[in-house]
C-alpha cells in the first residue's frame, strides 16, 4: 500500500479510529500488528509469510542468545538468524543477478551452462526489514540489549507499518520499549505528525513526481547520447527526485508514527549541504549508514588497524552498501565511487587543513553536491553504456548529443534544484521542527494550506516510492 494513495488515507483513518478507542493497550497493539500485515499483504499476500518466518526465527534466536552462556551455542543461534535473513535477501534480491553472472562466467570459460529462468518476485522492502531484524540478533549476541517483553512487542517492532517498507531502519532499543506503555499522541504531537505527513506527501507527489521525475526519465531513457545541458539537467532532476522521494517517505513515516504517539529517528539532515562525503553519510539515509558503520565497518576493524586497512574497510563497506541498493554492477560501481571519495577525502585531510567559513563552506558543499551527482548517474542508469553516455556529455567529452528537453523544462529543474540546495545550506544545522517553531503560526498555516492545495491539484499518478525496489 502506498502512502500517496487514497486507499492509504482510508486505511489510516480506520487505524486511527480503532487506535483511539478506549481499548486495552494489548488489544491496540494487536490491532496495529494486524494493520501492519494488511498494509504489507495488500501488495502480495503470500509474501507476508517471509515476515512471519523472520519474526519467529529472530524471536527464538534472540531469546536463546540472551539465555545461553555457551559460546558455541550462542554463535550457532546468531548464525541461524543471519543465514535465514540473508538467505531470503540473497535468494529474492540477488538470485537472478548471481545466476546471470555465473552463466556469463561459465561462457567466458568455454562451458555451456543454462539454468531454467526463474521469475523471482522481489518482496517490497525486504532489505529494510531483514537489516532491522538482524540488528536485533546481533545486538543480543553482543549483550547490548535485552529481549522484548513479549512476542507481540517484537512482532510489532518487525512489522510496524509506517516504517516497514522503506525505513528508517530502527534499532530495537529505540522502538521496542515504546510498545511497553500505552501511547496516545497529545494534540500538539498529533498536529505536528499530520503536518509532517502532509510535508512528506508534498515532497513525493508534487516535487519528486510532478516536477522532476519526467525530466529524469526523458534523459536517462534516451538510447543515444544527449547534449551536455540536457545530461546535467536530467542528472540534477534525479538528484532532486530521489531526495524528495525518499526523504518524503521517511517524513511520512515519522509523521504517521507521531500521530500514534511513537517517535522514529530522523533519516535525513539536509544531505546536499554536506561538506565532504563523511559529512554526507551522516546526513543521507542515516539509519542505513549507521547500520553499515556499526554492523560492518566496525566489525571489520574500522580505523583501528592502520591506514591501509582503514581504506580497505571503507571500500568494502561502501561496495556492500552499493550492492544493498540493487542487484546490478551499476550499483556496485556507485558504491565504489563513494568508497573512493571517502578515501581521497581522508588523504586530503591529512595534507590540507581548511577552516570552514560561510563562503568557502558553500563552495565546498557545492563541490560535494557536484561529485554526488556524478555518482547518481550510475545509480539511475540501467546499464554501463547508458551511464558512460551520460558522463561523456556531462564532462563535455561528447558535445554533439541529441537535444531532448525544451528550455522551459531546463529552467524549471534548475530553479527547483537551486532552491533545494539553498534550503539545505541555510537549514543544515537546524531541523524542520525548529524552523516551524520559529515561524509565525499564521504563516505556518498558509504553508500547510498551500502544500495541501498543491497536493490536491497535482493528485499524482500513484507512483511507487523509489526505495521500495530496494
Amino acid at each position: 500500500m502506498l502512502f500517496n494513495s487514497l486507499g492509504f488515507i482510508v486505511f489510516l483513518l480506520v487505524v486511527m479510529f480503532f487506535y483511539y478507542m478506549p481499548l486495552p493497550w494489548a488489544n491496540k497493539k494487536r490491532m496495529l500488528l494486524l494493520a501492519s500485515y494488511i498494509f504489507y499483504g495488500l501488495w502480495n499476500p503470500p509474501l507476508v509469510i517471509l515476515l512471519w518466518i523472520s519474526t519467529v526465527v529472530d524471536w527464538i534466536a534472540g531469546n536463546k542468545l540472551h539465555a545461553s552462556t555457551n559460546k558455541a551455542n550462542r554463535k550457532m543461534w546468531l548464525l541461524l538468524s543471519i543465514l535465514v535473513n540473508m538467505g531470503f535477501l540473497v535468494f529474492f534480491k540477488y538470485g537472478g543477478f548471481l545466476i546471470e553472472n555465473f552463466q556469463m562466467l561459465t561462457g567466458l570459460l568455454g562451458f555451456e551452462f543454462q539454468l531454467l529462468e526463474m521469475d523471482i518476485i522481489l518482496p517490497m522492502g525486504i532489505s529494510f526489514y531483514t537489516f532491522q531484524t538482524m540488528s536485533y540478533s546481533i545486538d543480543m549476541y553482543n549483550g547490548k540489549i535485552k529481549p522484548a517483553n513479549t512476542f507481540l512487542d517484537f512482532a510489532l517492532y518487525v512489522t510496524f507499518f509506517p516504517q516497514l517498507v522503506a525505513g528508517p531502519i530502527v534499532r530495537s532499543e529505540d522502538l521496542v520499549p515504546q510498545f511497553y506503555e500505552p501511547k496516545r499522541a497529545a494534540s500538539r504531537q498529533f498536529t505536528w505528525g499530520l503536518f509532517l505527513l502532509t510535508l512528506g506527501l508534498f515532497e513525493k507527489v508534487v516535487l519528486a513526481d510532478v516536477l522532476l521525475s519526467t525530466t529524469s526519465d526523458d534523459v536517462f531513457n534516451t538510447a543515444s547520447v544527449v547534449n551536455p545541458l540536457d545530461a546535467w539537467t536530467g542528472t540534477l532532476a534525479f538528484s532532486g527526485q530521489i531526495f524528495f522521494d525518499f526523504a518524503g517517505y521517511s517524513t511520512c513515516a515519522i509523521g504517521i508514527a507521531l500521530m500514534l504517539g511513537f517517535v522514529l529517528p530522523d533519516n535525513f539532515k539536509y544531505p546536499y549541504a554536506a561538506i565532504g562525503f563523511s559529512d554526507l553519510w551522516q546526513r543521507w539515509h542515516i539509519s542505513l549508514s549507521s547500520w553499515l558503520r556499526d554492523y560492518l565497518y566496525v566489525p571489520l576493524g574500522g580505523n583501528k588497524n592502520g591506514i591501509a586497512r582503514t581504506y580497505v574497510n571503507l571500500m568494502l563497506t561502501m561496495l556492500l552498501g552499493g550492492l544493498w541498493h540493487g542487484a546490478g554492477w551499476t550499483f556496485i560501481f556507485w558504491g565504489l565511487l563513494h568508497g573512493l571519495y571517502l578515501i581521497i577525502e581522508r588523504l586530503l585531510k591529512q595534507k590540507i587543513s581548511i577552516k570552514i567559513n560561510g563562503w568557502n563552506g558553500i563552495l565546498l558543499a557545492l563541490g560535494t553536491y557536484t561529485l554526488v551527482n556524478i555518482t547518481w548517474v550510475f545509480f539511475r542508469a540501467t546499464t554501463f553504456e547508458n551511464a558512460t553516455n551520460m558522463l561523456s556529455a556531462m564532462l563535455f567529452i561528447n558535445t554533439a548529443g541529441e537535444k531532448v528537453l525544451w528550455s522551459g523544462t531546463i529552467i524549471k529543474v534548475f530553479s527547483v534544484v537551486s532552491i533545494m540546495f539553498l534550503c539545505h545550506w541555510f537549514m543544515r544545522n537546524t531541523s524542520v521542527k525548529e524552523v516551524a517553531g520559529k515561524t509565525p503560526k499564521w504563516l505556518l498555516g498558509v504553508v500547510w494550506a498551500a502544500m495541501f492545495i498543491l497536493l490536491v491539484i497535482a493528485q499524482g499518478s500513484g507512483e511507487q516510492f523509489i526505495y521500495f525496489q530496494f
Side-chain angles (χ1 to χ4, degrees):
M1 189 180 292
L2 301 174
F3 289 162
N4 53 320
S5 66
L6 290 175
F8 176 74
I9 301 302
V10 174
F11 167 84
L12 185 59
L13 288 172
V14 172
V15 169
M16 290 294 172
F17 174 78
F18 284 106
Y19 186 76
Y20 283 103
M21 284 183 68
L23 299 171
W25 179 234
N27 288 346
K28 289 186 180 183
K29 289 193 289 186
R30 293 186 184 98
M31 183 276 297
L32 284 178
L33 182 61
L34 176 62
S36 298
Y37 286 133
I38 292 171
F39 174 84
Y40 190 81
L42 285 176
W43 172 66
N44 194 318
L47 293 179
V48 173
I49 296 171
L50 297 182
L51 279 173
W52 292 343
I53 295 173
S54 288
T55 302
V56 171
V57 168
D58 287 305
W59 170 250
I60 294 172
N63 286 334
K64 295 291 186 181
L65 285 166
H66 180 71
S68 177
T69 57
N70 183 283
K71 186 175 289 188
N73 286 342
R74 298 184 84 251
K75 285 184 177 179
M76 182 195 71
W77 284 109
L78 177 64
L79 185 61
L80 174 66
S81 172
I82 292 174
L83 285 177
V84 169
N85 286 291
M86 289 303 297
F88 284 152
L89 189 60
V90 169
F91 176 79
F92 285 100
K93 187 168 183 175
Y94 304 105
F97 176 70
L98 292 172
I99 290 171
E100 178 184 333
N101 282 275
F102 181 73
Q103 290 180 167
M104 185 184 302
L105 179 61
T106 56
L108 290 173
L109 294 174
F111 299 101
E112 288 293 331
F113 186 83
Q114 190 71 34
L115 286 174
L116 291 174
E117 290 190 13
M118 295 189 295
D119 187 16
I120 301 174
I121 298 174
L122 177 63
M124 195 176 288
I126 188 170
S127 298
F128 290 88
Y129 67 75
T130 52
F131 269 33
Q132 184 155 309
T133 56
M134 275 199 300
S135 72
Y136 178 84
S137 300
I138 295 170
D139 285 348
M140 196 72 68
Y141 177 80
N142 291 326
K144 293 181 178 179
I145 58 172
K146 294 180 180 180
N149 285 355
T150 67
F151 178 74
L152 175 59
D153 293 321
F154 179 73
L156 191 53
Y157 160 70
V158 175
T159 60
F160 189 48
F161 76 87
Q163 48 81 225
L164 170 61
V165 178
I169 303 169
V170 186
R171 309 289 177 90
S172 63
E173 66 266 30
D174 294 328
L175 186 56
V176 171
Q178 295 188 59
F179 297 138
Y180 293 160
E181 301 292 336
K183 291 291 185 295
R184 182 184 183 89
S187 58
R188 190 169 182 175
Q189 188 181 31
F190 188 93
T191 303
W192 179 242
L194 188 59
F195 177 84
L196 290 178
L197 175 58
T198 308
L199 175 61
L201 289 174
F202 175 78
E203 288 181 292
K204 164 62 178 172
V205 175
V206 177
L207 299 177
D209 291 350
V210 174
L211 292 181
L212 297 173
S213 67
T214 301
T215 304
S216 172
D217 291 342
D218 287 345
V219 172
F220 278 92
N221 292 342
T222 301
S224 57
V225 180
V226 298
N227 67 55
L229 182 57
D230 285 5
W232 273 106
T233 303
T235 303
L236 289 169
F238 180 70
S239 76
Q241 179 196 0
I242 194 168
F243 168 75
F244 289 126
D245 190 285
F246 193 20
Y249 183 94
S250 294
T251 304
C252 287
I254 292 167
I256 295 163
L258 277 175
M259 292 166 69
L260 295 166
F262 300 99
V263 177
L264 297 180
D266 289 337
N267 210 20
F268 291 87
K269 291 183 179 177
Y270 309 106
Y272 291 148
I275 298 176
F277 283 82
S278 57
D279 188 25
L280 174 76
W281 283 105
Q282 294 177 48
R283 296 174 177 273
W284 178 276
H285 201 349
I286 300 167
S287 62
L288 173 65
S289 59
S290 62
W291 197 101
L292 291 172
R293 178 197 66 208
D294 295 343
Y295 300 107
L296 185 59
Y297 178 69
V298 171
L300 284 172
N303 57 1
K304 294 181 179 180
N305 297 308
I307 294 175
R309 181 62 185 271
T310 298
Y311 294 159
V312 170
N313 294 340
L314 274 174
M315 184 59 74
L316 285 174
T317 301
M318 295 316 300
L319 285 172
L320 289 170
L323 190 60
W324 179 91
H325 281 87
W329 287 104
T330 52
F331 289 105
I332 295 173
F333 195 78
W334 174 83
L336 173 69
L337 282 177
H338 275 278
L340 286 173
Y341 286 161
L342 287 166
I343 290 170
I344 292 170
E345 179 183 307
R346 282 184 175 242
L347 287 170
L348 289 174
K349 283 182 176 179
Q350 292 173 5
K351 304 291 184 182
I352 306 171
S353 178
I354 300 176
K355 186 176 181 180
I356 305 297
N357 57 45
W359 288 110
N360 71 3
I362 196 169
L363 289 175
L364 289 168
L366 190 58
T368 303
Y369 178 55
T370 302
L371 291 173
V372 168
N373 276 285
I374 299 297
T375 71
W376 283 138
V377 171
F378 291 92
F379 196 97
R380 175 60 180 83
T382 53
T383 63
F384 270 106
E385 182 182 6
N386 184 206
T388 53
N389 284 344
M390 287 288 294
L391 282 178
S392 68
M394 292 169 67
L395 300 177
F396 298 93
I397 296 170
N398 189 335
T399 60
E402 181 183 351
K403 180 174 177 57
V404 297
L405 301 177
W406 65 292
S407 57
T409 299
I410 295 171
I411 293 170
K412 175 192 70 176
V413 169
F414 273 82
S415 298
V416 172
V417 170
S418 297
I419 293 170
M420 175 190 68
F421 177 80
L422 290 173
C423 286
H424 279 222
W425 176 253
F426 287 112
M427 295 175 66
R428 68 189 308 270
N429 295 318
T430 64
S431 67
V432 174
K433 190 173 184 178
E434 288 172 336
V435 173
K438 296 175 182 177
T439 305
K441 289 184 179 180
W442 67 267
L443 182 56
L444 194 62
V446 169
V447 171
W448 194 346
M451 289 193 299
F452 184 78
I453 291 169
L454 289 171
L455 272 170
V456 172
I457 293 172
Q459 292 184 0
S461 55
E463 291 187 28
Q464 178 174 291
F465 286 84
I466 293 174
Y467 266 67
F468 278 18
Q469 64 187 294
F470 305 139

